[in-house]
Coordinates of all heavy atoms in Angstrom, one line a residue:
M1 N 101.1 102.7 99.8 CA 101.1 101.4 99.1 C 100.5 100.4 100.1 O 100.8 100.4 101.3 CB 102.6 101.1 98.8 CG 102.7 100.2 97.7 SD 104.4 99.8 97.1 CE 105.5 100.9 97.6
R2 N 99.8 99.5 99.5 CA 99.2 98.5 100.3 C 100.3 97.5 100.9 O 101.4 97.3 100.4 CB 98.2 97.6 99.5 CG 97.2 98.5 98.8 CD 96.2 97.7 98.2 NE 95.4 97.0 99.2 CZ 94.5 96.1 98.9 NH1 94.1 95.9 97.6 NH2 93.8 95.4 99.9
L3 N 99.9 97.0 102.1 CA 100.8 96.1 102.9 C 101.3 94.9 102.0 O 102.4 94.6 102.0 CB 100.2 95.8 104.2 CG 101.1 94.9 105.1 CD1 102.3 95.6 105.5 CD2 100.3 94.4 106.3
S4 N 100.3 94.3 101.3 CA 100.7 93.2 100.6 C 101.8 93.4 99.5 O 102.6 92.7 99.2 CB 99.5 92.5 100.0 OG 98.8 93.4 99.2
V5 N 101.7 94.6 98.8 CA 102.6 95.0 97.8 C 104.0 95.3 98.4 O 105.0 94.8 97.9 CB 102.1 96.3 97.0 CG1 103.2 96.7 96.0 CG2 100.8 96.0 96.4
C6 N 104.0 95.9 99.6 CA 105.2 96.1 100.3 C 105.9 94.8 100.7 O 107.1 94.6 100.5 CB 105.0 96.9 101.6 SG 104.5 98.6 101.3
L7 N 105.2 93.8 101.2 CA 105.7 92.5 101.5 C 106.3 91.8 100.3 O 107.4 91.2 100.3 CB 104.6 91.6 102.1 CG 104.2 91.9 103.5 CD1 103.0 91.1 103.9 CD2 105.4 91.7 104.5
L8 N 105.5 92.0 99.2 CA 106.0 91.2 98.0 C 107.3 91.9 97.4 O 108.3 91.2 97.1 CB 104.9 91.3 96.9 CG 105.3 90.7 95.5 CD1 105.5 89.2 95.6 CD2 104.2 91.0 94.5
L9 N 107.4 93.3 97.5 CA 108.6 93.9 97.0 C 109.8 93.6 98.0 O 110.9 93.4 97.5 CB 108.4 95.4 96.9 CG 107.4 95.9 95.8 CD1 107.2 97.4 95.9 CD2 107.9 95.5 94.4
L10 N 109.6 93.6 99.2 CA 110.6 93.2 100.1 C 111.1 91.8 100.0 O 112.4 91.6 100.0 CB 110.1 93.4 101.6 CG 111.2 93.1 102.7 CD1 112.3 94.0 102.6 CD2 110.5 93.2 104.1
T11 N 110.2 90.9 99.8 CA 110.6 89.5 99.6 C 111.4 89.4 98.3 O 112.3 88.7 98.2 CB 109.3 88.6 99.5 OG1 108.7 88.8 100.8 CG2 109.7 87.2 99.3
L12 N 110.9 90.1 97.2 CA 111.7 90.0 96.0 C 113.1 90.5 96.1 O 114.1 89.9 95.6 CB 111.0 90.8 94.9 CG 109.8 90.2 94.2 CD1 109.1 91.2 93.4 CD2 110.2 89.0 93.4
A13 N 113.3 91.6 96.9 CA 114.6 92.1 97.1 C 115.5 91.2 97.9 O 116.7 91.0 97.6 CB 114.4 93.5 97.8
L14 N 114.9 90.6 99.0 CA 115.7 89.7 99.7 C 116.0 88.3 99.1 O 117.1 87.8 99.2 CB 114.9 89.4 101.1 CG 114.9 90.6 102.0 CD1 114.0 90.4 103.2 CD2 116.2 91.1 102.4
C15 N 115.0 87.9 98.4 CA 115.2 86.5 97.8 C 115.9 86.5 96.5 O 116.5 85.5 96.1 CB 113.8 85.9 97.6 SG 113.0 85.5 99.2
C16 N 115.9 87.5 95.7 CA 116.5 87.5 94.4 C 117.6 88.4 94.2 O 117.9 88.8 93.1 CB 115.4 87.9 93.4 SG 114.0 86.6 93.4
Y17 N 118.3 88.6 95.3 CA 119.5 89.4 95.1 C 120.6 88.6 94.4 O 120.9 87.5 94.7 CB 120.1 89.8 96.5 CG 121.3 90.7 96.6 CD1 121.3 92.0 96.2 CD2 122.5 90.2 97.0 CE1 122.3 92.8 96.1 CE2 123.6 91.0 97.0 CZ 123.5 92.3 96.5 OH 124.6 93.0 96.5
R18 N 121.2 89.2 93.4 CA 122.1 88.5 92.5 C 123.2 87.8 93.1 O 123.6 86.8 92.7 CB 122.6 89.4 91.4 CG 121.6 89.8 90.3 CD 122.2 90.3 89.1 NE 121.3 90.6 88.1 CZ 120.9 89.8 87.2 NH1 121.3 88.5 87.2 NH2 120.0 90.2 86.3
A19 N 123.8 88.4 94.2 CA 125.0 87.8 94.8 C 124.7 86.4 95.5 O 125.5 85.6 95.6 CB 125.6 88.8 95.8
N20 N 123.4 86.3 95.9 CA 123.0 85.0 96.6 C 121.6 84.8 96.2 O 120.7 85.2 96.8 CB 123.2 85.2 98.0 CG 122.9 83.9 98.8 OD1 122.6 82.9 98.2 ND2 122.9 84.0 100.1
A21 N 121.4 84.1 95.1 CA 120.0 83.9 94.6 C 119.3 82.7 95.3 O 118.1 82.5 95.0 CB 120.1 83.6 93.1
V22 N 119.9 82.0 96.1 CA 119.3 80.9 96.8 C 118.5 81.5 98.0 O 119.1 82.2 98.8 CB 120.4 79.9 97.3 CG1 119.7 78.7 98.0 CG2 121.0 79.3 96.1
V23 N 117.2 81.1 98.1 CA 116.5 81.6 99.3 C 116.8 80.8 100.5 O 116.8 79.6 100.5 CB 115.0 81.4 98.9 CG1 114.1 81.9 100.1 CG2 114.6 82.3 97.6
C24 N 117.1 81.5 101.5 CA 117.4 80.9 102.9 C 116.1 80.2 103.3 O 115.0 80.8 103.4 CB 117.8 81.9 103.8 SG 118.1 81.4 105.5
Q25 N 116.1 78.9 103.7 CA 115.0 78.3 104.3 C 114.4 79.0 105.5 O 113.2 79.0 105.7 CB 115.3 76.8 104.6 CG 115.5 75.9 103.3 CD 115.6 74.4 103.8 OE1 116.0 74.1 104.9 NE2 115.4 73.6 102.8
A26 N 115.2 79.5 106.3 CA 114.8 80.2 107.6 C 113.9 81.4 107.1 O 112.9 81.7 107.8 CB 115.9 80.5 108.4
L27 N 114.4 82.1 106.1 CA 113.6 83.3 105.7 C 112.3 82.8 105.1 O 111.3 83.5 105.4 CB 114.4 84.0 104.6 CG 113.7 85.3 104.0 CD1 113.4 86.3 105.1 CD2 114.5 85.8 102.9
G28 N 112.3 81.8 104.3 CA 111.0 81.3 103.7 C 110.1 80.9 104.8 O 108.8 81.2 104.7
S29 N 110.6 80.2 105.7 CA 109.7 79.7 106.8 C 109.2 80.9 107.6 O 108.0 80.9 108.0 CB 110.5 78.7 107.8 OG 109.8 78.4 108.9
E30 N 110.1 81.9 107.9 CA 109.6 83.0 108.7 C 108.6 83.8 107.9 O 107.5 84.3 108.6 CB 110.8 83.9 109.0 CG 110.6 85.0 110.0 CD 110.1 86.3 109.3 OE1 110.3 86.6 108.2 OE2 109.4 87.1 110.1
I31 N 108.7 84.0 106.6 CA 107.7 84.7 105.8 C 106.4 84.0 105.8 O 105.3 84.6 106.0 CB 108.2 85.0 104.5 CG1 109.3 86.1 104.5 CG2 107.1 85.5 103.5 CD1 110.1 86.3 103.2
T32 N 106.4 82.7 105.6 CA 105.2 81.8 105.6 C 104.5 82.0 107.0 O 103.3 82.2 107.0 CB 105.5 80.4 105.2 OG1 106.1 80.4 103.9 CG2 104.3 79.6 105.1
G33 N 105.3 81.9 108.0 CA 104.7 82.0 109.4 C 104.1 83.3 109.7 O 103.1 83.5 110.2
F34 N 104.8 84.4 109.1 CA 104.3 85.7 109.3 C 102.9 85.9 108.6 O 102.0 86.6 109.2 CB 105.3 86.7 108.6 CG 105.0 88.1 108.8 CD1 105.1 88.8 110.0 CD2 104.5 88.9 107.7 CE1 104.6 90.1 110.1 CE2 104.2 90.2 107.8 CZ 104.2 90.8 109.0
L35 N 102.8 85.2 107.5 CA 101.5 85.4 106.8 C 100.4 84.4 107.3 O 99.2 84.9 107.3 CB 101.8 85.2 105.2 CG 102.5 86.3 104.5 CD1 102.9 85.8 103.2 CD2 101.7 87.6 104.4
L36 N 100.7 83.3 107.6 CA 99.8 82.2 107.8 C 99.6 81.7 109.3 O 98.5 81.3 109.7 CB 100.0 81.1 107.0 CG 100.0 81.3 105.5 CD1 100.3 80.1 104.6 CD2 98.6 81.9 105.0
A37 N 100.7 81.8 110.1 CA 100.7 81.1 111.4 C 99.9 82.1 112.4 O 99.8 83.2 112.2 CB 102.1 80.9 111.9
G38 N 99.5 81.4 113.4 CA 98.8 82.1 114.6 C 99.9 82.9 115.3 O 101.1 82.6 115.2
K39 N 99.5 83.8 116.1 CA 100.5 84.6 116.9 C 101.4 83.8 117.8 O 102.6 84.0 117.8 CB 99.8 85.7 117.8 CG 99.1 86.8 117.0 CD 98.4 87.8 117.8 CE 97.6 88.7 116.9 NZ 96.9 89.6 117.7
P40 N 100.8 82.9 118.6 CA 101.9 82.1 119.5 C 102.8 81.3 118.6 O 104.0 81.1 119.0 CB 100.9 81.1 120.2 CG 99.6 81.7 120.1 CD 99.5 82.5 118.8
V41 N 102.4 80.7 117.5 CA 103.3 79.9 116.7 C 104.3 80.8 116.0 O 105.5 80.5 116.0 CB 102.5 79.1 115.6 CG1 103.4 78.4 114.7 CG2 101.6 78.1 116.3
F42 N 103.9 81.9 115.6 CA 104.9 82.8 114.9 C 105.9 83.4 116.0 O 107.1 83.4 115.6 CB 104.2 84.0 114.2 CG 105.1 85.0 113.5 CD1 105.8 84.4 112.4 CD2 105.3 86.2 114.0 CE1 106.7 85.3 111.8 CE2 106.1 87.0 113.2 CZ 106.9 86.6 112.3
K43 N 105.4 83.7 117.1 CA 106.3 84.2 118.2 C 107.3 83.1 118.5 O 108.6 83.4 118.7 CB 105.6 84.6 119.5 CG 106.2 85.5 120.2 CD 105.3 86.2 121.3 CE 106.0 87.3 122.0 NZ 105.0 87.9 122.9
F44 N 107.0 81.9 118.5 CA 107.9 80.7 118.8 C 108.9 80.7 117.6 O 110.1 80.4 117.8 CB 107.1 79.4 118.9 CG 108.0 78.2 119.1 CD1 108.6 78.1 120.4 CD2 108.2 77.3 118.1 CE1 109.4 76.9 120.6 CE2 109.0 76.2 118.3 CZ 109.7 76.0 119.6
Q45 N 108.4 80.8 116.4 CA 109.3 80.9 115.2 C 110.5 81.9 115.3 O 111.6 81.7 115.0 CB 108.6 81.0 114.0 CG 108.0 79.8 113.3 CD 107.4 80.1 112.0 OE1 106.8 81.2 111.7 NE2 107.5 79.2 111.1
L46 N 110.0 83.1 115.8 CA 111.0 84.2 115.9 C 112.0 84.0 117.0 O 113.0 84.5 116.9 CB 110.1 85.5 116.3 CG 109.4 86.1 115.1 CD1 108.6 87.4 115.7 CD2 110.2 86.5 114.0
A47 N 111.6 83.2 117.9 CA 112.6 82.9 119.1 C 113.9 82.4 118.6 O 115.0 82.6 119.2 CB 112.0 82.0 120.1
K48 N 113.9 81.6 117.5 CA 115.1 80.9 117.0 C 116.1 82.0 116.5 O 117.3 81.7 116.4 CB 114.8 79.9 115.9 CG 114.2 80.4 114.6 CD 114.0 79.3 113.7 CE 113.1 79.8 112.6 NZ 112.6 78.7 111.7
F49 N 115.6 83.2 116.1 CA 116.5 84.2 115.7 C 117.1 85.1 116.8 O 118.1 85.9 116.5 CB 115.8 85.2 114.7 CG 115.3 84.5 113.4 CD1 114.0 84.3 113.3 CD2 116.2 84.1 112.5 CE1 113.5 83.7 112.1 CE2 115.8 83.5 111.4 CZ 114.5 83.3 111.1
K50 N 116.6 84.9 118.0 CA 117.1 85.6 119.2 C 117.2 87.1 119.0 O 118.2 87.8 119.4 CB 118.6 85.0 119.6 CG 118.6 83.6 119.9 CD 119.9 83.1 120.3 CE 119.8 81.6 120.6 NZ 121.1 80.9 120.6
A51 N 116.1 87.6 118.5 CA 116.1 89.0 118.2 C 115.7 89.7 119.5 O 115.2 89.2 120.4 CB 114.8 89.3 117.2
P52 N 116.0 91.0 119.6 CA 115.8 91.9 120.7 C 114.2 91.9 121.0 O 113.4 91.8 120.0 CB 116.3 93.2 120.4 CG 117.2 93.0 119.3 CD 116.9 91.8 118.6
L53 N 113.8 92.0 122.2 CA 112.4 92.1 122.5 C 111.6 93.2 121.8 O 110.5 93.0 121.3 CB 112.1 92.2 124.0 CG 112.6 91.0 124.9 CD1 112.4 91.3 126.3 CD2 111.8 89.8 124.4
E54 N 112.3 94.3 121.5 CA 111.6 95.4 120.9 C 111.4 95.1 119.4 O 110.4 95.4 118.9 CB 112.6 96.7 120.9 CG 112.9 97.3 122.3 CD 114.0 96.5 123.0 OE1 114.8 95.8 122.3 OE2 114.1 96.6 124.2
A55 N 112.3 94.3 118.8 CA 112.1 94.0 117.4 C 111.0 92.9 117.3 O 110.2 93.0 116.4 CB 113.4 93.3 116.8
V56 N 110.9 92.0 118.2 CA 109.8 91.0 118.3 C 108.5 91.6 118.4 O 107.5 91.4 117.7 CB 110.0 89.9 119.3 CG1 108.9 89.0 119.5 CG2 111.3 89.1 119.0
A57 N 108.5 92.7 119.4 CA 107.2 93.4 119.6 C 106.8 94.2 118.3 O 105.6 94.2 118.0 CB 107.4 94.3 120.7
A58 N 107.8 94.7 117.7 CA 107.4 95.5 116.4 C 106.9 94.6 115.4 O 105.9 94.9 114.6 CB 108.7 96.3 115.9
K59 N 107.5 93.5 115.2 CA 107.1 92.4 114.2 C 105.7 92.0 114.5 O 104.8 91.8 113.6 CB 108.1 91.3 114.2 CG 107.9 90.3 113.0 CD 108.6 90.8 111.8 CE 108.5 89.7 110.8 NZ 109.4 89.8 109.7
M60 N 105.4 91.7 115.8 CA 104.1 91.3 116.2 C 103.1 92.3 115.9 O 101.9 92.0 115.6 CB 104.1 90.8 117.7 CG 105.0 89.6 117.9 SD 104.6 88.2 116.9 CE 103.0 87.7 117.6
E61 N 103.4 93.6 116.1 CA 102.5 94.7 115.9 C 102.1 94.7 114.3 O 101.0 94.9 114.0 CB 103.1 96.0 116.2 CG 102.2 97.2 116.2 CD 101.2 97.1 117.3 OE1 101.3 96.5 118.4 OE2 100.0 97.7 117.1
V62 N 103.1 94.5 113.5 CA 102.9 94.5 112.0 C 102.0 93.3 111.7 O 101.1 93.3 110.9 CB 104.1 94.5 111.2 CG1 103.9 94.3 109.7 CG2 104.9 95.8 111.4
K63 N 102.2 92.2 112.4 CA 101.5 91.0 112.1 C 100.0 91.1 112.4 O 99.1 90.5 111.8 CB 102.1 89.8 113.0 CG 101.3 88.5 112.7 CD 102.1 87.2 112.9 CE 101.3 86.0 112.8 NZ 100.5 85.9 111.6
K64 N 99.6 92.0 113.4 CA 98.3 92.3 113.6 C 97.6 92.8 112.4 O 96.5 92.5 112.1 CB 98.1 93.4 114.8 CG 98.4 92.8 116.1 CD 98.2 93.9 117.2 CE 98.7 93.6 118.5 NZ 98.6 94.7 119.4
C65 N 98.3 93.7 111.7 CA 97.8 94.2 110.5 C 97.6 93.2 109.3 O 96.6 93.2 108.6 CB 98.6 95.5 110.0 SG 98.7 96.8 111.0
V66 N 98.6 92.3 109.3 CA 98.6 91.3 108.2 C 97.4 90.4 108.5 O 96.8 89.9 107.7 CB 100.0 90.5 108.3 CG1 99.8 89.3 107.3 CG2 101.0 91.5 107.7
D67 N 97.2 90.0 109.8 CA 96.2 89.1 110.2 C 94.7 89.6 109.9 O 93.8 88.8 109.8 CB 96.3 88.7 111.7 CG 97.5 87.8 112.0 OD1 98.1 87.3 111.1 OD2 97.8 87.7 113.2
M68 N 94.6 90.9 109.6 CA 93.3 91.5 109.4 C 93.0 91.2 107.8 O 91.9 91.4 107.4 CB 93.3 93.0 109.6 CG 93.2 93.3 111.1 SD 92.8 95.0 111.5 CE 94.3 95.8 111.1
M69 N 94.0 90.9 107.1 CA 93.8 90.6 105.6 C 93.0 89.2 105.6 O 93.1 88.4 106.4 CB 95.2 90.4 104.9 CG 95.9 91.7 104.7 SD 97.5 91.4 104.0 CE 97.2 90.4 102.6
A70 N 92.2 89.0 104.5 CA 91.5 87.8 104.4 C 92.5 86.7 104.3 O 93.6 86.8 103.6 CB 90.6 87.9 103.1
Y71 N 92.1 85.5 104.9 CA 93.1 84.4 104.9 C 93.3 83.9 103.4 O 94.5 83.6 103.1 CB 92.5 83.2 105.7 CG 93.4 82.0 105.9 CD1 94.5 82.1 106.8 CD2 93.2 80.9 105.0 CE1 95.4 81.1 106.8 CE2 94.1 79.8 105.2 CZ 95.2 79.9 106.1 OH 96.0 78.9 106.2
E72 N 92.3 83.9 102.6 CA 92.6 83.6 101.2 C 93.6 84.4 100.5 O 94.4 83.9 99.7 CB 91.3 83.6 100.4 CG 90.2 82.6 100.9 CD 89.5 83.1 102.2 OE1 89.5 84.4 102.4 OE2 88.8 82.2 102.8
K73 N 93.6 85.7 100.8 CA 94.6 86.6 100.2 C 96.0 86.3 100.7 O 97.0 86.3 99.9 CB 94.2 88.0 100.5 CG 93.0 88.5 99.6 CD 92.8 90.0 99.7 CE 91.5 90.3 98.9 NZ 91.3 91.6 98.7
R74 N 96.1 85.9 102.0 CA 97.4 85.6 102.6 C 97.9 84.3 101.9 O 99.1 84.2 101.7 CB 97.3 85.5 104.0 CG 97.1 86.9 104.7 CD 97.1 86.9 106.2 NE 95.8 86.4 106.7 CZ 95.7 85.7 107.9 NH1 96.7 85.4 108.6 NH2 94.5 85.3 108.2
V75 N 97.1 83.4 101.7 CA 97.5 82.2 101.1 C 97.9 82.5 99.7 O 98.9 81.9 99.2 CB 96.3 81.1 101.1 CG1 96.7 79.9 100.2 CG2 96.0 80.6 102.5
L76 N 97.2 83.2 99.0 CA 97.6 83.6 97.6 C 99.0 84.3 97.6 O 99.9 84.0 96.7 CB 96.6 84.6 97.0 CG 96.7 84.9 95.5 CD1 96.7 83.7 94.6 CD2 95.7 85.9 95.1
I77 N 99.2 85.2 98.5 CA 100.6 85.9 98.6 C 101.6 84.8 98.9 O 102.7 84.9 98.3 CB 100.6 87.0 99.7 CG1 99.6 88.1 99.4 CG2 101.9 87.5 100.0 CD1 99.4 89.1 100.5
T78 N 101.3 83.9 99.8 CA 102.3 82.9 100.1 C 102.7 82.0 99.0 O 103.8 81.6 98.7 CB 101.7 81.9 101.3 OG1 101.5 82.8 102.4 CG2 102.8 80.9 101.7
E79 N 101.6 81.6 98.2 CA 101.9 80.8 96.9 C 102.7 81.6 95.9 O 103.5 81.0 95.3 CB 100.6 80.4 96.4 CG 99.8 79.4 97.2 CD 98.3 79.1 96.7 OE1 97.9 79.9 95.8 OE2 97.7 78.2 97.3
T80 N 102.4 82.9 95.8 CA 103.0 83.6 94.9 C 104.6 83.8 95.2 O 105.5 83.7 94.4 CB 102.5 85.1 94.7 OG1 101.1 84.9 94.3 CG2 103.3 86.0 93.8
L81 N 104.7 84.0 96.6 CA 106.2 84.1 97.1 C 106.9 82.7 96.8 O 108.1 82.8 96.6 CB 106.2 84.5 98.5 CG 105.7 85.9 98.8 CD1 105.6 86.2 100.4 CD2 106.6 86.9 98.1
G82 N 106.2 81.6 97.0 CA 106.8 80.3 96.8 C 107.3 80.2 95.4 O 108.3 79.7 95.1
K83 N 106.4 80.6 94.4 CA 106.8 80.5 93.0 C 108.0 81.5 92.7 O 109.0 81.1 91.9 CB 105.7 81.0 92.1 CG 104.5 80.0 92.1 CD 103.3 80.4 91.3 CE 102.2 79.5 91.5 NZ 101.0 80.0 90.8
I84 N 108.0 82.7 93.3 CA 109.3 83.5 93.2 C 110.5 82.8 93.7 O 111.5 82.9 93.0 CB 109.0 84.9 93.8 CG1 107.8 85.6 93.1 CG2 110.2 85.7 93.9 CD1 107.3 86.8 93.9
A85 N 110.3 82.2 94.9 CA 111.5 81.6 95.5 C 112.0 80.4 94.6 O 113.2 80.2 94.5 CB 111.1 81.1 96.9
E86 N 111.1 79.7 94.0 CA 111.5 78.6 93.1 C 112.4 79.1 91.9 O 113.4 78.5 91.5 CB 110.3 77.9 92.5 CG 109.6 76.9 93.5 CD 108.4 76.3 92.9 OE1 108.2 76.3 91.7 OE2 107.6 75.8 93.8
K87 N 111.9 80.2 91.4 CA 112.6 80.9 90.3 C 114.0 81.4 90.6 O 114.9 81.3 89.9 CB 111.8 82.0 89.6 CG 110.6 81.4 88.8 CD 110.0 82.4 88.0 CE 108.8 81.8 87.2 NZ 108.6 82.3 85.9
C88 N 114.1 81.9 91.9 CA 115.3 82.5 92.4 C 116.3 81.3 92.7 O 117.5 81.6 92.6 CB 115.0 83.3 93.7 SG 114.2 84.8 93.3
D89 N 115.8 80.2 93.0 CA 116.7 79.1 93.4 C 117.3 78.4 92.2 O 118.2 77.6 92.3 CB 116.0 78.0 94.2 CG 115.7 78.4 95.6 OD1 116.3 79.4 96.1 OD2 114.9 77.9 96.3
R90 N 116.8 78.7 91.1 CA 117.4 78.1 89.8 C 118.6 78.7 89.4 O 119.0 79.7 89.6 CB 116.4 78.2 88.7 CG 115.2 77.3 88.9 CD 114.3 77.3 87.7 NE 113.0 76.9 88.0 CZ 111.8 77.1 87.3 NH1 111.9 77.8 86.3 NH2 110.7 76.6 87.8

């Protein structure tokens, strides 16, 4: 399955879970940073979660793959996820 489809499905699962349909701002910010921010900025964003170094390294490795996608496609995914988040927040 393509990486963008995996990201979309994961975000849907996390954002639209019935028990808590409100999207956490930190999650939304992290996903947007994952898709659009540069590596140094995204690494700084991850620091607020105090994740283990191995987890940060793994996330940065996946980000390398995401960064190879065309920027326009990443923007489109971000906009789509924003629309999904709006519907989940209602």
Side-chain angles (χ1 to χ4, degrees):
M1 200 174 347
R2 296 187 72 183
L3 181 61
S4 57
V5 175
C6 292
L7 285 172
L8 180 61
L9 291 175
L10 178 63
T11 303
L12 282 171
L14 292 174
C15 294
C16 295
Y17 182 67
R18 287 199 178 270
N20 184 7
V22 177
V23 177
C24 173
Q25 284 185 341
L27 175 65
S29 174
E30 192 270 337
I31 291 171
T32 301
F34 181 72
L35 290 168
L36 301 177
K39 289 178 188 174
V41 173
F42 182 65
K43 204 167 191 177
F44 180 74
Q45 276 185 320
L46 286 179
K48 67 182 168 192
F49 296 110
K50 298 179 183 168
L53 292 177
E54 298 83 20
V56 173
K59 187 87 171 190
M60 295 305 292
E61 191 68 28
V62 175
K63 180 154 176 52
K64 286 181 191 176
C65 295
V66 171
D67 288 346
M68 288 192 290
M69 292 171 56
Y71 185 77
E72 295 80 19
K73 289 188 178 187
R74 291 186 280 150
V75 169
L76 185 61
I77 292 169
T78 303
E79 290 171 354
T80 303
L81 293 175
K83 290 176 185 176
I84 292 168
E86 284 177 19
K87 288 190 180 214
C88 290
D89 285 344
R90 289 186 201 161

